[in-house]
Amino acid sequence: MASLETDVLVIGGGATGAGVAWDAALRGFDVILVDRADLAEGTSGRFHGLLHSGGRYVVKDPVAAEECVAENAILRRVLPDCIEDTGGLFVTTPDDDPAYGDRFLEGCRAADLPTEEIDVAEALRLEPRLNPRIKRAFTVPDASIDAWKTVWSLARGAAEHGARILTYHRVIDLVVEGDAVTGARLRNELTGEELEVEAGFTLNASGAWAAQIVKMAGIEGVGVIPGKGIMIAMNHRLVNTVINRCTLPADGDILVPIRTVSVIGTTDHQAADPDDIPPTQVEVDAMLDDGERLIPGFREARAMRVWAGVRPLFQDEKATAGKEIDTRDVSRTHAVVDHVARDGIERLLTMSGGKLTTFRLMAQDLVDAMCRQLGDERPCTTETAIPPGNDDGQHYSIGSRLRGREATMQDEQLICECELVGRSKLEETLRRRDTTILDDIRRSLRLGMGPCQGGFCIYRATGILHAIDGIDGAEASQSLRDFLQERWKGMWPILYGDQLRQARLDDWIFQGLLDVEHLP
Ligand SMILES: Cc1cc2nc3c(=O)[nH]c(=O)nc-3n(C[C@H](O)[C@H](O)[C@H](O)COP(=O)(O)OP(=O)(O)OC[C@H]3O[C@@H](n4cnc5c(N)ncnc54)[C@H](O)[C@@H]3O)c2cc1C
C-alpha cells in the first residue's frame, strides 16, 4: 500500500477544511487535505449563499451574531472576489410582529452591527418586487458569497504553500496507536486504490460527518446533529438585495440574490443520515408559500432547481441524552472537541457547528488548539493573508462575466449561454482540474447551472472533454449521463410551468436526438 507522510492531515474539503488547510499551511505546517468527493461537495456547496451580517442571530443567538459581524468584515477584505456586496434588508411582513423590530435594533446595537431603519417607501424603491404591505425595514451589511470560489481559492492558496489536496479520497479508517491517532487509511474513490497517511496530527473538519470519522477511533457520542434544510433557486434575480424576514429565525425567511439566480430558503429538521436528505414535495410547497410572503407572485416565477444541505450542528450527547432536539434551538456557534480531555485520545481534534460565514474563525480556533497541544505556538495570519484570485480587492459583480464576454464576443465560441462560459475557459479548466467528471467542471465554472440546466451546453462540453482528455467514447458518454442524472435530481420536485417545458425540451434533445441512455 502506498503511503504519505505529513505534519497535519485535514479531513473534509468544505469551507472549514479548506480554511484549516490554508491556515495551517500559512503557519508553515506540511498539510494534506482529503475529501471523499470533490471540494465543497458537502454542505458548503449546498448552502444558502449568505454571508451573514449577524442580523439573523442578534436576538436569539448573540454570540453567533457577534462572530458573524467580525467575520463578515474580515472576509470582505480577504476574499473580495468571492463576495458580492448586495447589502441586506430585514423587513416586517404582514405576518410578523412589528415590535420584534425594536428587539432587533437593540440586538444590533449590542452586537455592534451597523443597521438603520428606513422608510417602507425607500425599501420598495430599492426592491420594487417586495411585498408592498411590509410595515418596517432595516438595512444590514449582508452579502452573498460563492462557496466554490471560496473553497478553491483557499485550497489553491494552501497548495502554493506546499499543501497536498487529495479529492475523491475517502477516509475509511483512522490509525490508532496506543492513545494517539497517527493517521488514516484512505481509498481513492475513482480507482479503488488504498493508501495510508502517517500524520503528526489529524484535524477532523468533516462537518455533518464528523461523528462518523471519530467513531473510527472508537470515540462515541460526539453530538453532531445533522440539520437538514432545503432551498429553491429561482431562475432570475427577483431581488438584488438579501431579503430577511424581521422575526425570530423560521423556515423560508431569507431570499438571497446570488450570481444569476435568487435562492429562497430554508427549512431545519434533524436528519437521521446526512447522506439521505431528499427534498420532499411538502417542503417545496411550503417554501414557495414562504416566498409569497416576501415577494407577491413568487409562485408564478420560474423555480429552477431544489436541493438540500445538512448543517453540522453541535450538541454533545452527554448534555442532551434522552431529550428531543429542535434543531432551530441549537446555537450556530462552533466548538473544538478536545479528544484528549473528552476521550483520552491524543493528536486528534474535531471541529463542530458553525457557519460558512465563520469558517475562518473556526479554522483559526482549530489550528490554535492543535498548536497548544503540540506546544508549538505559531501565530495565525488569515485575518490579513489574501488567498489567490482576490488580490485586486474588487468585489464580484453581477456584470463581470458579461463584461469579459463582450471583450471576446467575435473571437470565441460560447459553450454555456446561460452562464457565459467560453470555450477557452472551459478547455483551460478541464486541463487544470485534470478531471473527466463534468460535475467537477460545473462547480468550477457554473457550467450548466442556468435555466436550461445543461440542455444546450453539456453535449458540447462532453465533446470538448472527449477531445482534450483522450478518454474513450464510453467514458465520455458516462460522464454526460452522470451530469444529466445529477441535474435531474434537482429538477423533478419543482417541475411546473416554464421549467417543465424546459425539462421536456432537454428530454427531447438527450433521449430523442442523442438516445443518451444507449450511447456506446
Ligand atoms: C440548508 C443550509 C443553509 C445554509 N445557509 C448558510 C448561509 O447562508 N450562510 C452561512 O454562513 N452558513 C450557512 N449554512 C451553514 C454552512 O453551510 C455550514 O456550516 C458549512 O458549509 C459547513 O462547512 P464544513 O466545511 O464544516 O462542512 P462540509 O462543507 O459539509 O464539508 C465536510 C466535508 O467532509 C467530507 N467528508 C465526509 N466524510 C468523509 C470521509 N469519510 N472522508 C473524507 N471526506 C469526508 C464531505 O465530503 C464534505 O465535503 C447553511 C447550512 C444548511 C444546511
Side-chain angles (χ1 to χ4, degrees):
M1 194 190 300
S3 69
L4 300 169
E5 266 179 53
T6 187
D7 295 340
V8 184
L9 170 65
V10 183
I11 303 174
T16 310
V20 169
W22 166 238
D23 184 320
L26 283 173
R27 296 195 209 204
F29 290 105
D30 181 46
V31 174
I32 292 181
L33 170 70
V34 297
D35 198 289
R36 63 181 184 169
D38 196 18
L39 296 189
E41 215 190 307
T43 309
S44 298
R46 296 166 200 273
F47 84 134
H48 200 169
L50 175 59
L51 180 70
H52 282 276
S53 59
R56 184 168 176 75
Y57 304 114
V58 287
V59 173
K60 193 171 176 184
D61 201 347
V63 176
E66 280 170 32
E67 287 173 356
C68 288
V69 170
E71 291 303 306
N72 178 301
I74 294 170
L75 296 190
R76 281 166 182 266
R77 274 200 317 271
V78 298
L79 287 168
D81 187 51
C82 305
I83 292 168
E84 183 184 349
D85 187 10
T86 58
L89 286 174
F90 275 73
V91 298
T92 308
T93 74
D95 297 323
D96 304 325
D97 176 8
Y100 180 86
D102 299 328
R103 292 170 70 196
F104 173 79
L105 278 175
E106 214 175 285
C108 288
R109 259 192 302 277
D112 230 355
L113 194 168
T115 183
E116 193 191 335
E117 180 158 12
I118 59 171
D119 284 345
V120 166
E122 172 66 1
L124 292 171
R125 196 187 59 73
L126 287 170
E127 288 299 344
R129 285 201 177 94
L130 254 185
N131 188 339
R133 292 167 59 225
I134 61 168
K135 297 183 188 124
R136 301 181 76 174
F138 307 86
T139 59
V140 289
D142 281 340
S144 63
I145 178 163
D146 184 319
W148 293 304
K149 261 184 158 180
T150 299
V151 169
W152 276 103
S153 170
L154 298 165
R156 284 215 314 278
E160 283 172 10
H161 287 77
R164 285 163 282 176
I165 312 293
L166 305 183
T167 55
Y168 294 101
H169 279 75
R170 180 188 290 270
V171 172
I172 52 174
D173 207 359
L174 291 178
V175 180
V176 184
E177 287 172 21
D179 288 339
V181 169
T182 57
R185 272 199 19 247
L186 312 180
R187 184 177 61 231
N188 182 327
E189 295 287 89
L190 303 178
T191 64
E193 276 167 76
E194 291 191 8
L195 69 152
E196 194 157 307
V197 177
E198 205 178 299
F201 215 103
T202 298
L203 295 176
N204 178 15
S206 58
W209 294 267
Q212 293 179 8
I213 296 292
V214 295
K215 250 187 197 162
M216 297 174 189
I219 297 170
E220 297 285 342
V222 169
V224 180
I225 308 164
K228 172 193 169 188
I230 75 148
M231 289 138 287
I232 301 176
M234 310 304 284
N235 87 320
H236 281 114
R237 282 170 67 123
L238 297 170
V239 290
N240 285 309
T241 313
V242 176
I243 306 294
N244 308 258
R245 271 176 70 184
C246 193
T247 179
L248 284 172
D251 284 358
D253 57 355
I254 310 181
L255 182 60
V256 182
I258 180 156
R259 309 291 289 236
T260 51
V261 301
S262 38
V263 179
I264 182 84
T266 167
T267 52
D268 200 342
H269 302 290
Q270 185 168 354
D273 175 353
D275 286 311
D276 185 17
I277 48 167
T280 65
Q281 201 64 57
V282 174
E283 289 169 324
V284 167
D285 275 337
M287 195 57 52
L288 293 172
D289 286 342
D290 290 329
E292 282 286 336
R293 272 200 194 92
L294 296 170
I295 308 285
F298 194 86
R299 266 186 171 278
E300 264 56 67
R302 177 167 166 180
M304 196 171 72
R305 190 173 176 79
V306 58
W307 70 96
V310 61
R311 297 172 184 82
L313 303 172
F314 177 68
Q315 195 139 76
D316 204 303
E317 278 174 23
K318 285 180 182 166
T320 55
K323 292 183 195 155
E324 183 120 332
I325 295 162
D326 180 341
T327 44
R328 282 239 180 266
D329 290 337
V330 180
S331 171
R332 268 36 179 174
T333 55
H334 59 273
V336 175
V337 184
D338 176 344
H339 294 294
V340 176
R342 187 186 185 281
D343 312 292
I345 298 285
E346 292 172 9
R347 292 162 61 177
L348 173 71
L349 287 166
T350 292
M351 174 49 72
S352 179
K355 308 206 56 66
L356 193 127
T357 302
T358 55
F359 82 82
R360 192 212 61 84
L361 178 64
M362 293 159 71
Q364 174 175 354
D365 287 351
L366 194 60
V367 182
D368 278 351
M370 175 185 78
C371 288
R372 275 194 302 276
Q373 289 202 358
L374 289 171
D376 180 7
E377 302 277 351
R378 304 185 193 185
C380 172
T381 55
T382 55
E383 263 194 50
T384 50
I386 309 283
N390 294 282
D391 321 77
D392 69 3
Q394 298 293 312
H395 283 306
Y396 164 82
S397 74
I398 177 71
S400 28
R401 276 205 176 172
L402 185 58
R403 278 195 296 280
R405 175 65 197 158
E406 276 171 347
T408 60
M409 189 91 81
Q410 306 300 329
D411 314 332
E412 103 161 317
Q413 186 189 2
L414 189 57
I415 302 299
C416 172
E417 285 94 345
C418 303
E419 295 288 343
L420 296 177
V421 180
R423 184 172 185 129
S424 59
K425 189 74 189 162
L426 175 62
E427 289 182 350
E428 180 260 315
T429 309
L430 282 167
R431 289 197 178 94
R432 178 170 51 78
R433 295 280 330 256
D434 191 21
T435 178
T436 57
I437 300 172
L438 286 164
D439 222 35
D440 291 352
I441 302 300
R442 173 181 69 79
R443 279 182 287 275
S444 289
L445 291 181
R446 297 182 66 81
L447 180 80
M449 287 188 71
C452 79
Q453 291 288 290
F456 298 124
C457 64
I458 208 61
Y459 53 84
R460 298 174 191 148
T462 307
I464 294 168
L465 168 74
H466 184 215
I468 283 191
D469 241 7
I471 54 174
D472 63 23
E475 243 183 295
S477 304
Q478 192 54 46
S479 191
L480 172 63
R481 277 191 291 266
D482 290 347
F483 184 93
L484 292 172
Q485 193 57 46
E486 193 56 35
R487 293 291 85 193
W488 176 244
K489 255 171 44 187
M491 260 196 288
W492 72 262
I494 43 106
L495 278 186
Y496 66 88
D498 283 341
Q499 202 58 30
L500 176 57
R501 289 187 193 95
Q502 180 71 55
R504 287 297 295 132
L505 176 59
D506 290 354
D507 192 53
W508 282 325
I509 294 172
F510 290 102
Q511 309 269 20
L513 292 177
L514 277 177
D515 193 13
V516 74
E517 277 178 28
H518 302 104
L519 283 175

